[in-house]
């Protein structure tokens, strides 16, 4: 379990394919590496991955076909900047919202608009996530806990990003059209599942 509060931005250093498994070596600061061991969970752009090796200045994770097809990891190359967050310690402070690290699908940045000291970013997101997203509710984009500023038509949302988030995540490296990992609000997904199983429609008014 994670919170969507990014601890550091790492960099993909090397990628290698082996027996239908992709190994991704990620450069990370010592603050991350000092408390990560093989077998732990680390959110990489919001996708929960397991380090298999820890080296000086980097750690390596393995991604299989499901992860590569469902997340932005399939498009990683050397130099890609990635958001990093270690798993939430039991009893730790929950500054963002509950994030599982189970990516629901891929969205795309549509536009960035500067509004003084902050920015408004519009994203296209999967329709199944959009149906369960609430105005002023939470959503995780590339693992970042964000608040939905506006619900737009055609499966689009707008989020507001303060200067600190812009400077300390990989959002500032995105260009319109670039993909992002999307994880819908955990509570909304569970409520939607219960409603569907009860024969009710969870895709009614979203505000």
């Amino acid at each position: 379990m994670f919170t969507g509060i990014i601890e550091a931005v790492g960099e993909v250093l090397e990628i290698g394919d082996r027996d239908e498994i992709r190994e991704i070596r990620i450069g990370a600061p010592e603050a991350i590496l000092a408390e990560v061991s093989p077998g732990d969970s680390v959110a990489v752009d919001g996708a929960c991955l397991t380090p298999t090796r820890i080296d000086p200045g980097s750690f390596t994770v393995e991604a299989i076909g499901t992860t590569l097809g469902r997340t932005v990891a399939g498009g990683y190359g050397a130099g890609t900047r990635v958001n990093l967050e270690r798993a939430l310690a039991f009893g730790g402070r929950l500054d963002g919202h509950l994030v599982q690290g189970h990516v629901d699908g891929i969205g795309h940045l549509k536009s960035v608009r500067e509004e003084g000291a902050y920015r408004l970013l519009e994203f296209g997101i999967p329709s199944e996530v959009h149906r369960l997203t609430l105005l002023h509710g939470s959503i995780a984009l590339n693992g970042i806990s964000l608040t939905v500023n506006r619900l737009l038509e055609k499966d689009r949302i707008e989020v507001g990003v303060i200067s600190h988030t812009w400077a300390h995540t990989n959002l500032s490296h995105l260009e319109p059209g670039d993909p992002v990992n999307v994880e819908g609000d955990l509570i909304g997904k569970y409520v939607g599942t219960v409603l569907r199983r009860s024969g009710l429609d969870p895709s009614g008014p979203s505000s």
Side-chain angles (χ1 to χ4, degrees), residues 118-121 146-149 158-162 165:
Y118 64 94
R119 291 167 175 82
L120 295 174
L121 279 63
L146 294 166
T147 300
V148 178
N149 186 61
E158 181 185 79
V159 296
V161 175
I162 62 173
T165 302

Side-chain angles (χ1 to χ4, degrees), residues 48-66:
C48 181
L49 298 175
T50 301
T52 57
R53 190 173 70 246
I54 309 295
D55 296 303
S58 70
F59 66 94
T60 299
V61 296
E62 295 180 348
I64 60 175
T66 303

Side-chain angles (χ1 to χ4, degrees), residues 1-2 26 39-51 59 61-64 66-68 71 73 76 83-88 99-104 142-143 181 183:
M1 191 68 73
F2 306 91
I26 299 170
D40 288 349
S41 294
V42 176
V44 180
D45 280 340
C48 181
L49 298 175
T50 301
F59 66 94
V61 296
E62 295 180 348
I64 60 175
T66 303
T67 300
L68 296 174
T71 75
Y76 285 165
N83 293 327
L84 302 175
E85 181 190 353
R86 293 166 297 171
L88 174 67
V99 177
Q100 288 183 297
H102 301 166
V103 174
D104 293 310
N142 269 1
N181 287 332
E183 181 182 331

Side-chain angles (χ1 to χ4, degrees), residues 56-131:
S58 70
F59 66 94
T60 299
V61 296
E62 295 180 348
I64 60 175
T66 303
T67 300
L68 296 174
R70 193 174 182 81
T71 75
V72 299
Y76 285 165
T80 300
R81 307 285 285 176
V82 293
N83 293 327
L84 302 175
E85 181 190 353
R86 293 166 297 171
L88 174 67
F90 185 76
R93 179 175 293 160
L94 184 62
D95 286 326
H97 72 281
L98 291 174
V99 177
Q100 288 183 297
H102 301 166
V103 174
D104 293 310
I106 295 176
H108 293 85
L109 176 65
K110 298 298 183 181
S111 65
V112 178
R113 187 170 81 251
E114 293 193 26
E115 293 287 342
Y118 64 94
R119 291 167 175 82
L120 295 174
L121 279 63
E122 183 180 326
F123 288 90
I125 63 173
S127 58
E128 61 270 21
V129 178
H130 191 275
R131 284 196 300 270

